[in-house]
Amino acid sequence: MAKVPKELIENAKAVKKTKKNEKQNTQEKKKLKDLLASLNKPKRPISPYLLFCQDIKPRLSTDLSGTDRARKMGVEWNQADTKTKELFEKKSEELVLKYEKELESWNRKMHEEGRNEEIAMAQSKVAKMRKTADEGKNAEIAKAPSKDIKTPVKVVKMRKSV
């Protein structure tokens, strides 16, 4: 059996490490999201387009598939006159103002309860994991095997014969 090139082994290790970092990053993001949800952080308001879609969706045929409905809503939004779009943009602006007030109130409440440290720590973990994941991806690209090495379809661990 042919020897596996060292470069290929190092590349496989880098890929494995990158996947591990990505998994940890995903877990930290989920923890942060769950923490913020448990603390009842207000959710961001939806865009004018999505407000339009919510308004028009009940009027669409139920016979259409999801993608056809989405396509039809997009076409209608693009064909809508400026007055209609301004109406939904105004609604969206009102929701943004409401959200900002709720967020300010929530931030004040978290400060009073002493939860800011907990939130900041979770956010820093996510940022740190994202940074290590990005570094891993960059290293993986840099360590990509050169074109002159033929990559085997499957890498098999070799056993020592006694």
Side-chain angles (χ1 to χ4, degrees):
M1 196 179 225
K3 236 183 171 182
V4 179
K6 188 175 182 180
E7 186 177 321
L8 192 60
I9 293 170
E10 288 175 1
N11 187 35
K13 286 180 181 179
V15 169
K16 187 175 181 180
K17 187 174 182 179
T18 301
K19 286 182 181 181
K20 182 181 175 186
N21 287 341
E22 287 174 354
K23 185 177 181 180
Q24 287 176 338
N25 187 18
T26 303
Q27 289 171 344
E28 291 298 329
K29 282 181 184 179
K30 185 177 181 335
K31 286 179 188 177
L32 176 62
K33 185 177 178 181
D34 291 345
L35 173 66
L36 295 177
S38 71
L39 297 174
N40 297 322
K41 182 178 180 182
K43 295 189 179 189
R44 293 179 61 118
I46 60 176
S47 68
Y49 170 70
L50 291 177
L51 286 170
F52 174 78
C53 289
Q54 282 182 343
D55 186 51
I56 203 169
K57 192 174 181 179
R59 291 185 259 151
L60 293 176
S61 172
T62 55
D63 298 346
L64 296 173
S65 69
T67 53
D68 289 338
R69 265 187 271 159
R71 187 176 298 120
K72 187 164 178 70
M73 287 186 284
V75 168
E76 289 192 29
W77 174 256
N78 289 331
Q79 292 175 348
D81 58 344
T82 56
K83 187 177 179 181
T84 305
K85 287 186 179 183
E86 286 174 359
L87 174 73
F88 288 103
E89 287 169 359
K90 185 179 177 185
K91 284 182 185 179
S92 179
E93 288 172 11
E94 291 170 2
L95 290 174
V96 167
L97 292 174
K98 181 183 173 191
Y99 166 75
E100 288 172 350
K101 287 179 185 177
E102 289 175 354
L103 185 62
E104 186 178 320
S105 170
W106 182 81
N107 283 330
R108 193 172 26 257
K109 181 181 173 188
M110 292 300 107
H111 181 70
E112 290 169 1
E113 292 178 4
R115 293 293 190 94
N116 282 348
E117 245 180 75
E118 183 181 359
I119 295 167
M121 201 160 70
Q123 289 173 334
S124 69
K125 281 183 181 179
V126 169
K128 183 179 177 183
M129 293 308 301
R130 184 179 304 128
K131 184 178 178 183
T132 55
D134 290 345
E135 287 172 357
K137 285 181 183 176
N138 292 340
E140 183 181 322
I141 291 169
K143 290 184 177 180
S146 61
K147 292 181 182 178
D148 60 325
I149 296 176
K150 294 182 180 177
T151 308
V153 176
K154 185 176 180 182
V155 177
V156 179
K157 289 185 179 179
M158 297 174 66
R159 295 184 182 158
K160 291 182 180 178
S161 58
V162 181

